[in-house]
Amino acid sequence: MATPHARIQGNPAARLTIFEYSDFQCPACAHIQPTVQRILELYKGKIRLVFKYYPLTMMHKNALGAAHAAQCAAEQNQFWPYGDELFAKQTQWATLADPTTSFMAIAQDAKLDTVRYATCVADPSKEAIILADVQEGKARQVSATPTFFVGDQRLLGGFFEADGARTIERELRK
């Protein structure tokens, strides 16, 4: 499935694409974000990162809502700043019975059109985009988050942190 431009970072014409299957409520996903940013900076112009939703709803009750909120930010071309804030403020909203107010505060901080954002969040059809990413992830045998695909190589969370740069170098030499 094609990923909307709003969820792609880096050089759109890069030879190497990295896919990140992630869950905004996953602590390991939040932990690895600084590494992802360093990799993007280190390989600027040589790679592109494609973010795929993979909310682990059995473990994280607010993960689907967070993905839905991020998708609504993506529709205003603010996916990356919104997603960064979801990860940064994860401990503040993750255990709430209803994180809607926290998600709206992040939307306001990201300078989203909050009326448009609220309408989007209220639209259950937006979840189809998220579920399409989940189905794609299942087809690629994703079973944990974060999972990265660097070319044909699959790297789970900590392995991306430890071996991401080496794997990227190897893939760029192909």
Side-chain angles (χ1 to χ4, degrees):
M1 177 181 122
T3 300
H5 179 71
R7 289 192 283 134
I8 300 173
Q9 240 183 344
N11 180 356
R15 274 186 354 162
L16 182 60
T17 301
I18 299 170
F19 292 91
E20 175 184 3
Y21 288 84
S22 191
D23 172 348
F24 287 110
Q25 196 173 344
C26 159
C29 297
H31 172 79
I32 205 157
Q33 292 312 302
T35 298
V36 171
Q37 292 309 311
R38 280 193 301 277
I39 292 281
L40 281 167
E41 192 57 39
L42 185 62
Y43 294 98
K44 192 174 192 159
K46 296 179 182 179
I47 63 171
R48 73 177 155 267
L49 174 71
V50 176
F51 186 95
K52 297 288 191 171
Y53 300 115
Y54 205 80
L56 300 173
T57 55
M58 299 296 285
M59 296 172 21
H60 301 137
K61 66 180 177 132
N62 292 328
L64 184 59
H68 189 147
Q71 179 56 34
C72 292
E75 291 185 11
Q76 295 186 43
N77 289 317
Q78 291 298 315
F79 172 80
W80 294 104
Y82 192 92
D84 289 347
E85 284 302 300
L86 280 174
F87 282 129
K89 296 180 176 170
Q90 182 185 84
T91 59
Q92 297 169 23
W93 59 263
T95 59
L96 297 176
D98 181 1
T100 306
T101 303
S102 294
F103 295 161
M104 179 57 86
I106 294 170
Q108 290 168 332
D109 289 347
K111 309 262 188 280
L112 296 181
D113 173 335
T114 54
V115 172
R116 190 171 150 207
Y117 168 84
T119 301
C120 179
V121 169
D123 181 356
S125 73
K126 301 297 178 184
E127 289 182 7
I129 296 163
I130 298 156
L131 298 177
D133 277 3
V134 170
Q135 288 307 311
E136 180 184 308
K138 286 180 180 177
R140 294 182 88 176
Q141 300 177 340
V142 171
S143 60
T145 57
T147 295
F148 296 86
F149 288 90
V150 179
D152 293 333
Q153 301 296 310
R154 175 200 321 254
L155 296 172
L156 300 178
F159 292 106
F160 183 77
E161 208 162 20
D163 294 328
R166 254 190 310 269
T167 304
I168 290 167
E169 290 289 341
R170 215 173 20 251
E171 290 294 313
L172 287 172
R173 283 193 299 267
K174 286 185 177 178

